[in-house]
Amino acid sequence: MSEFLDFLKHKYAYVAIGKFKSGRFAEAQKLYEEAVSTYTKGFKGAYLLQKPGTDEGIAVIIWEKVDDMQDNQTEAYKAILQEMSPLFATAPDTSFYEVCSEIGIEQ
């Protein structure tokens, strides 16, 4: 029965949509990858999307539970975000979403 209940649990996605200052996306990408590499408990995956030919992007980070993101905000993570902050043209729009469907290709 517990396997069935585990199947019914939904993951959560933290989504940030933002625009970086001109020419700063690559630098922001490097910092994003550093920040994500600090995650442990409850972390299920991350994506960084870039609108072609622009400095606009969408970050999607998948968590087992919403609280897991808070639990992963270490000093190292906070320092990386502090370094990334001045790269934004405007503050990103952020939200949490429940992952309702997950469709993948098995390797």
Side-chain angles (χ1 to χ4, degrees), residues 90-103:
T90 59
D93 180 28
T94 62
S95 296
F96 267 102
Y97 294 85
E98 186 173 4
V99 177
C100 298
S101 294
E102 188 172 0
I103 302 165

Side-chain angles (χ1 to χ4, degrees), residues 61-75:
I61 304 169
I62 308 296
W63 297 100
E64 189 172 310
K65 299 181 298 193
V66 172
D67 293 341
D68 291 334
M69 184 172 172
Q70 183 67 33
D71 293 343
N72 280 278
Q73 292 188 3
T74 63
E75 290 305 315

Side-chain angles (χ1 to χ4, degrees), residues 33-66:
E33 291 168 359
E34 285 179 33
V36 168
S37 74
T38 69
Y39 299 151
T40 55
K41 179 186 170 218
F43 173 67
K44 297 298 179 187
Y47 301 90
L48 180 62
L49 312 173
Q50 182 180 15
K51 189 177 199 179
T54 74
D55 288 297
E56 297 175 40
I58 302 172
V60 180
I61 304 169
I62 308 296
W63 297 100
E64 189 172 310
K65 299 181 298 193
V66 172

Side-chain angles (χ1 to χ4, degrees), residues 26-37:
E27 186 178 352
Q29 178 181 354
K30 179 181 172 291
L31 291 169
Y32 173 82
E33 291 168 359
E34 285 179 33
V36 168
S37 74

